[in-house]
Amino acid sequence: MPPPAEPEEITLPLPRGGVLSVSATASPRTGTARYAVHTRHLRGVLLVHPHTVADELLPAGVRVSFGDGEPPVRPYRPRPDEPVVHRVRVHGTATCLAPDRLPAPRAVLVEAVVLGEHHATRRVPDRAADLLEEAVVAVLQHWQARDDRSDLVLTAARRAAPTAIRDARTTLAAAEADLHAVREQLRLSQDRLLRLDELAAAPPPPPDPPADVTRLVYTDEHGQALGTALVRETAVNQPPGTVTYRVDGPRLAGSVAIGPYLYSTDPVPTGVSVQYGTGADDDRSDEPVVNGIRLRGGWNHSSTTPITPSFPPTLPRASRADPTASQPVPVATNHRWWAVVRALAAHYTQRPDIALLRRAAAYARAADRSHAERQALARLRNEQDKLTNSAAALQKRLDEATALMS
């Protein structure tokens, strides 16, 4: 370890007249310069050390700690040899983010208080604050003109380099993981777009015509039969991929339209979307009537988990189609209707032409889905460019921080 440097005895002019006597010592090990200062009505130690302004590796700013000791200055925790100004002991720091603006007083932010008992503080009196600021500005001007300032800044940067390297590695790893994920999304999106273009160019053969009337058994979530209903297909592939069923049975009657999942992003949609009644949302007709209650609603099942007459056990609750009715649909009515809907959805997914129905829906959606996919691709490419640039910048920072250690 090198021997401690000999103090440099100097005098510095104060901005408003008078001089500041200084015993200055620089530490090549920490990059800190210690200024023991005294003048009339002021005595104490100012520790000057490089300060990072905007996450740069070589600190661009400078900070002054009042009193001896390692940074940072802790609130309510006095330090040895804090400046005493006009008989007032001052605790705190001063920061200069733009040293080239010195000696302008506004270039320095002095954050100082007078410590009291029980974590109490009070403001520094104006006369003491003015003299302290003059001393700080004079010391910082000397710091800026030091022949060894660049060496001290480099020393401070090297001390901080291990932390900078660790942070850069962590951030770079996260950025590279995000970049890998975006590239995988891009690959999948490009595959989907290619498939959509293929679907749009090749209309599928028509699905089967409406089937004969059949009797359908519907069960509760435990597989216990609740009843049977006659089911008649009143429309197939209108709209594409959809089958409309008319259901008649004890205490229930009405229509249900079932097609592939409406909001699927897959080129060929799977899942199911169930709509109670026929027609547009604002002009429904033949809505199901169960236990004397007309029901309104639907069910979207995006999962690839197979639908059975007893699964899933619960569905979205239906509401009353009568806008004047305020009572909720009874539990028993909901459970009976859920059993019917599950049985119909399972019947739909087990059709021999289900693949053709899904392709018909895919063909009808292909143009809109292709447009949405191209927009998604543009966003993903933009995100990929940002992440690539970010990763490159982080790699550069890591290289520069590592170079500081050599």
Side-chain angles (χ1 to χ4, degrees):
M1 179 180 296
E6 289 294 325
E8 180 186 6
E9 305 297 332
I10 54 177
T11 57
L12 303 176
L14 293 173
R16 299 183 188 179
V19 295
L20 186 68
S21 298
V22 179
S23 179
T25 309
S27 170
R29 184 180 62 84
T30 64
T32 300
R34 181 182 187 274
Y35 290 79
V37 301
H38 68 91
T39 187
R40 188 182 181 189
H41 304 305
L42 184 152
R43 180 181 296 273
V45 169
L46 304 179
L47 291 181
V48 182
H49 44 91
H51 176 67
T52 300
V53 174
D55 200 32
E56 68 277 3
L57 291 172
L58 288 176
V62 61
R63 173 162 286 174
V64 179
S65 299
F66 300 156
D68 269 321
E70 289 291 323
V73 174
R74 305 289 185 183
Y76 313 113
R77 195 174 298 177
R79 294 159 63 90
D81 296 319
E82 288 179 321
V84 177
V85 193
H86 287 290
R87 300 183 181 179
V88 175
R89 180 168 175 158
V90 179
H91 175 82
T93 63
T95 306
C96 180
L97 302 183
D100 56 329
R101 291 178 53 203
L102 293 167
R106 291 186 179 181
V108 180
L109 173 64
V110 178
E111 297 177 291
V113 295
V114 179
L115 298 179
E117 295 183 352
H118 307 298
H119 297 96
T121 62
R122 61 185 175 89
R123 66 185 294 272
V124 179
D126 291 345
R127 188 169 61 156
D130 291 344
L131 180 55
L132 178 64
E133 184 173 311
E134 288 188 55
V136 168
V137 170
V139 165
L140 289 179
Q141 283 185 274
H142 181 269
W143 159 268
Q144 276 297 98
R146 292 183 68 102
D147 294 337
D148 60 351
R149 181 173 62 87
S150 296
D151 295 335
L152 295 175
V153 169
L154 183 59
T155 296
R158 283 176 172 162
R159 292 192 77 198
T163 299
I165 291 171
R166 184 172 61 252
D167 292 346
R169 283 175 176 160
T170 301
T171 311
L172 178 60
E176 288 176 337
D178 290 343
L179 182 58
H180 176 77
V182 167
R183 284 173 173 161
E184 179 62 15
Q185 291 177 47
L186 264 172
R187 185 188 67 79
L188 295 174
S189 184
Q190 288 165 341
D191 290 347
R192 284 194 297 268
L193 183 57
L194 180 62
R195 179 67 174 132
L196 287 166
D197 289 342
E198 291 172 350
L199 289 166
D208 296 343
D212 295 334
V213 176
T214 185
R215 184 173 294 277
L216 200 64
V217 177
Y218 53 92
T219 67
D220 64 14
E221 64 272 25
H222 304 297
Q224 298 297 315
L226 294 179
T228 62
L230 293 178
V231 177
R232 178 167 52 93
E233 296 178 2
T234 59
V236 174
N237 210 32
Q238 299 174 15
T242 301
V243 177
T244 302
Y245 298 94
R246 168 72 195 190
V247 186
D248 291 281
R251 294 182 290 169
L252 64 91
S255 291
V256 173
I258 305 179
Y261 179 52
L262 283 174
Y263 310 106
S264 175
T265 58
D266 295 328
V268 178
T270 55
V272 296
S273 283
V274 180
Q275 171 186 286
Y276 302 167
T278 61
D281 289 340
D282 56 354
D283 187 23
R284 313 293 292 148
S285 63
D286 200 26
E287 291 173 312
V289 178
V290 182
N291 293 337
I293 301 173
R294 185 174 295 278
L295 301 180
R296 178 163 294 167
W299 172 40
N300 287 301
H301 182 77
S302 62
S303 173
T304 56
T305 304
I307 300 168
T308 71
S310 57
F311 182 87
T314 60
L315 276 64
R317 292 180 178 272
S319 61
R320 293 176 183 260
D322 182 357
T324 64
S326 59
Q327 294 297 317
V329 176
V331 172
T333 300
N334 263 314
H335 278 271
R336 176 173 290 275
W337 181 239
W338 289 349
V340 174
V341 172
R342 284 195 300 261
L344 287 171
H347 185 68
Y348 168 82
T349 59
Q350 293 163 10
R351 287 177 61 99
D353 62 347
I354 185 63
L356 292 178
L357 286 168
R358 287 169 174 165
R359 281 187 58 193
Y363 178 74
R365 304 179 190 183
D368 289 341
R369 285 296 313 137
S370 293
H371 177 69
E373 204 66 64
R374 285 186 171 86
Q375 289 182 320
L377 270 172
R379 289 193 297 270
L380 286 169
R381 288 188 179 114
N382 184 53
E383 188 174 356
Q384 177 184 239
D385 290 344
K386 289 180 179 179
L387 286 170
T388 300
N389 293 337
S390 177
L394 288 167
Q395 183 62 60
K396 180 181 179 183
R397 180 178 177 82
L398 176 58
D399 293 343
E400 290 174 346
T402 304
L404 282 173
M405 301 294 293
S406 59

